[in-house]
């Protein structure tokens, strides 16, 4: 009995030993498998059996982040008559304005900044600018005050007018300070143009419906004009500060006089005259520097130059001086216009291209194609007429006004033939030689 009990105990011990060995082997096998998984294939390995490369994944992620942070590539444009490209904005430029003293160019963009450029740097390698920030908004339109000590902007989100004062610092720079209160909201449609009279007596704002408002400098509405043009496409204050004009769906340009009393008090706005002659809607118009000439461009595919130095109070109508063809204006693309200060050169823009015409002969003299990466938003000659500025993407491009120099040569040659005394001939010859030398240096002197 004792032997049988001993044999049973021995068998039980052997069985327990075998079970212990099997358990140990199973645990060891699990450890090995886990070790292989940790060393050979991470937990995120996909079913195809190819382990992802951690280093390549992180590199791709970094590259993607870097690409997202990089700015979109700037549109490249070169031309022999390109004088300069101003490239400090990080957003598309919607408007620009030259100061009346000729020293500055103001630009506004959707990057929430207004830049003030020094015109004396235009032909230098570096173009300096001063920045004014627009808090929690951005400006779509900008205009200098007549004394060049302030500028006004139209706010895209605020739908109102804001005034920035310019205070000169000891180092020669400026500090820009927004006035405490913006103008009240009065327009019911998007504002397309603003302006300040050079007399400093009023501000004009025009919206895309048929409304033009005349404001005091303190933000009070002096008068509301209904243009009756179905919609407004452009509006402006004349350089002389007397007139406000607008164009739109109708085939004419309407001009009003803003009247003030002898003591400077506002009196009324009266219809002055109209530019009639187009057969379709008018895209845009512009004044010469002395307000005695106006130019217009229409969807009928023509541009026109007008003599507006008339006695409109005696019912005298403006005289049509020249009509030229511009087929691009008949298309769907927006069309912009600028008239040189002396009215001798007309600049027309359709899409991203610019065309320059001699207004006396009506001939196209220059064409710049694909100037900007977007449709051209604004065209403007500087007050000297030497440069034409355009904007449409993140840069302002400045062109030498060679048609203006050629017009000067033609004018001086005509005056020389009629000059009577020697001193006049010498002065005219000097101006003629200067214009010819400028054209020669630009490679634009016609033989």
């Amino acid at each position: 009995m004792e032997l049988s009990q001993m044999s049973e105990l021995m068998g039980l011990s052997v069985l327990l030993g075998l079970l212990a060995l099997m358990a140990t082997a199973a645990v060891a096998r699990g450890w090995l498998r886990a070790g292989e998984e940790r060393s050979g294939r991470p937990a995120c390995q996909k079913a195809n059996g190819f382990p992802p490369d951690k280093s390549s994944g992180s590199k791709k992620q970094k590259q993607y982040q870097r690409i997202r942070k990089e700015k979109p590539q700037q549109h490249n444009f070169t031309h022999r008559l390109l004088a300069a490209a101003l490239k400090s904005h990080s957003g598309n430029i919607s408007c620009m304005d030259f100061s009346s003293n000729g020293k500055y160019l103001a630009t506004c963009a959707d990057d929430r900044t207004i830049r003030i450029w020094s015109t004396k740097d235009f032909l230098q390698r570096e173009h300096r600018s001063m920045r004014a920030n627009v808090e929690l908004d951005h400006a779509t339109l900008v205009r200098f005050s007549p004394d060049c000590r302030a500028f006004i902007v139209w706010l895209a989100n605020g739908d109102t007018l804001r005034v920035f004062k310019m205070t000169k610092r000891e180092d020669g720079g400026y500090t820009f300070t927004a006035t405490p209160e913006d103008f009240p909201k009065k327009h019911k449609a998007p504002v397309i143009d603003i302006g300040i009279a050079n007399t400093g007596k009023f501000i004009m704002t025009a919206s895309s419906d048929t409304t033009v408002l005349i404001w005091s400098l303190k933000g009070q509405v002096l008068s509301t004009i209904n243009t009756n043009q179905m919609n407004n496409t452009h509006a402006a204050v004349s350089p002389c500060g007397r007139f406000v004009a607008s164009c739109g769906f109708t085939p004419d340009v309407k001009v009003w006089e803003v009247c003030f009393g002898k003591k400077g008090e506002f009196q009324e706005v009266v219809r002055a005259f109209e530019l009639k002659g187009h057969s379709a809607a008018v895209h845009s118009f512009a004044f010469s520097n002395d307000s005695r000439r106006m130019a217009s461009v229409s969807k009928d595919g023509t541009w026109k130059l007008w003599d507006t130095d008339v006695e409109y109070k005696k019912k005298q109508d403006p005289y049509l001086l020249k009509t030229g063809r511009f087929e691009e204006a008949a298309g769907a693309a927006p069309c912009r216009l600028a008239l040189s200060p002396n009215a001798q050169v007309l600049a027309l823009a359709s899409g991203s291209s610019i065309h320059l015409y001699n207004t006396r002969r009506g001939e196209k003299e220059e064409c710049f194609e694909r100037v900007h990466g977007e449709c051209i938003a604004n065209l403007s000659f500087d007050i000297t007429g030497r440069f034409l500025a355009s904007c449409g993407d993140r840069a302002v491009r400045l062109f030498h006004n060679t048609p203006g120099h050629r017009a000067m040569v033609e004018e001086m040659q005509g005056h020389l033939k009629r000059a009577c005394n020697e001193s006049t001939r010498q002065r005219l010859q000097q101006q003629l030689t200067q214009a010819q030398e400028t054209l020669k240096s630009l490679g634009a002197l016609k033989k």
Side-chain angles (χ1 to χ4, degrees):
M1 191 70 179
E2 292 180 358
L3 290 172
S4 62
Q5 289 177 347
M6 291 179 62
S7 61
E8 289 178 1
L9 289 172
M10 291 178 63
L12 184 59
S13 300
V14 172
L15 181 60
L16 291 173
L18 289 173
L19 290 173
L21 287 172
M22 291 174 65
T24 304
V27 172
R29 192 179 296 113
W31 285 349
L32 288 172
R33 186 179 294 113
E36 288 175 359
E37 289 181 353
R38 285 193 298 268
S39 61
R41 179 167 61 94
C44 61
Q45 179 176 343
K46 294 184 179 179
N48 60 13
F50 293 98
D53 187 351
K54 286 185 177 180
S55 60
S56 64
S58 61
K59 286 182 181 178
K60 288 181 180 179
Q61 189 175 7
K62 289 179 180 178
Q63 288 176 355
Y64 177 71
Q65 291 175 349
R66 192 179 302 117
I67 290 172
R68 287 189 64 186
K69 291 180 181 179
E70 286 178 356
K71 296 178 183 179
Q73 188 175 0
Q74 181 74 274
H75 176 72
N76 291 321
F77 173 81
T78 58
H79 195 279
R80 61 183 177 83
L81 296 182
L82 182 65
L86 312 181
K87 298 180 179 180
S88 288
H89 279 289
S90 60
N92 285 347
I93 302 168
S94 58
C95 188
M96 57 189 176
D97 187 46
F98 284 98
S99 62
S100 59
N101 60 11
K103 294 182 178 181
Y104 304 108
L105 171 67
T107 57
C108 64
D110 57 13
D111 59 4
R112 296 185 176 182
T113 67
I114 297 103
R115 298 252 174 198
I116 309 296
W117 309 80
S118 174
T119 58
K120 68 179 182 181
D121 295 335
F122 281 174
L123 297 181
Q124 304 299 320
R125 293 186 62 181
E126 295 184 1
H127 306 111
R128 296 177 296 171
S129 68
M130 298 172 286
R131 185 182 68 186
N133 296 321
V134 182
E135 298 296 333
L136 304 175
D137 210 328
H138 70 272
T140 57
L141 301 165
V142 60
R143 292 289 180 267
F144 273 110
S145 64
D147 60 4
C148 306
R149 295 179 180 177
F151 58 85
I152 61 172
V153 300
W154 186 262
L155 301 180
N157 300 324
D159 289 327
T160 186
L161 206 64
R162 179 171 293 175
V163 180
F164 283 83
K165 293 184 178 180
M166 302 169 58
T167 306
K168 197 161 188 177
R169 302 193 304 261
E170 293 182 358
D171 60 2
Y174 282 89
T175 299
F176 307 103
T177 307
T179 53
E181 294 185 4
D182 297 331
F183 277 36
K185 297 181 181 180
K186 295 294 183 179
H187 284 281
K188 297 180 180 179
V191 167
I192 57 171
D193 277 302
I194 61 176
I196 310 179
N198 75 337
T199 57
K201 292 181 178 179
F202 70 90
I203 292 173
M204 179 277 300
T205 59
S207 50
S208 60
D209 47 13
T210 60
T211 304
V212 175
L213 296 182
I214 306 299
W215 305 75
S216 71
L217 299 187
K218 295 182 179 180
Q220 298 173 333
V221 175
L222 301 176
S223 181
T224 301
I225 303 171
N226 183 359
T227 63
N228 293 314
Q229 293 173 314
M230 299 291 288
N231 66 277
N232 299 329
T233 56
H234 180 60
V237 179
S238 64
C240 67
R242 290 176 57 195
F243 303 108
V244 168
S246 74
C247 65
F249 183 78
T250 56
D252 50 20
V253 178
K254 296 181 179 180
V255 184
W256 294 264
E257 183 178 7
V258 184
C259 303
F260 288 83
K262 293 182 179 180
K263 296 181 179 179
E265 73 281 5
F266 171 76
Q267 291 183 332
E268 60 179 342
V269 176
V270 296
R271 179 73 67 87
F273 54 85
E274 296 180 6
L275 305 182
K276 296 181 178 181
H278 287 293
S279 59
V282 178
H283 283 289
S284 188
F285 64 88
F287 291 90
S288 64
N289 199 42
D290 58 8
S291 303
R292 295 182 177 182
R293 298 288 186 271
M294 289 183 70
S296 58
V297 61
S298 167
K299 284 190 175 183
D300 62 11
T302 67
W303 60 263
K304 295 181 182 293
L305 182 70
W306 309 82
D307 180 356
T308 55
D309 186 18
V310 297
E311 295 184 48
Y312 72 89
K313 292 181 179 179
K314 296 182 179 180
K315 306 299 181 181
Q316 189 177 6
D317 294 324
Y319 299 101
L320 178 62
L321 299 176
K322 198 72 179 180
T323 298
R325 295 297 303 174
F326 185 59
E327 299 295 342
E328 290 84 346
C335 189
R336 308 294 179 184
L337 178 150
L339 187 62
S340 65
N342 58 11
Q344 292 180 337
V345 181
L346 177 66
L348 295 169
S350 177
S352 60
S353 299
I354 301 174
H355 310 260
L356 298 182
Y357 289 82
N358 178 295
T359 57
R360 187 180 64 83
R361 290 182 278 103
E363 298 175 359
K364 183 192 293 188
E365 294 203 359
E366 300 289 352
C367 179
F368 312 121
E369 296 183 348
R370 298 188 63 189
V371 177
H372 296 277
E374 305 286 343
C375 288
I376 291 172
N378 204 197
L379 277 179
S380 180
F381 285 94
D382 75 314
I383 65 168
T384 66
R386 292 176 58 202
F387 300 107
L388 171 69
S390 69
C391 65
D393 45 27
R394 291 182 287 124
V396 173
R397 290 186 167 84
L398 296 156
F399 295 90
H400 292 285
N401 181 17
T402 51
H405 293 296
R406 294 192 193 105
M408 178 66 72
V409 169
E410 294 175 5
E411 185 179 13
M412 293 303 104
Q413 288 174 339
H415 289 331
L416 270 173
K417 293 178 181 179
R418 298 187 295 270
C420 298
N421 57 68
E422 187 62 26
S423 61
T424 302
R425 291 182 62 86
Q426 289 180 356
R427 178 176 55 82
L428 292 172
Q429 184 61 52
Q430 184 179 3
Q431 293 176 343
L432 173 62
T433 302
Q434 185 178 0
Q436 289 174 330
E437 288 178 351
T438 300
L439 286 170
K440 187 176 180 180
S441 66
L442 298 173
L445 183 62
K446 291 184 178 181
K447 297 180 180 180

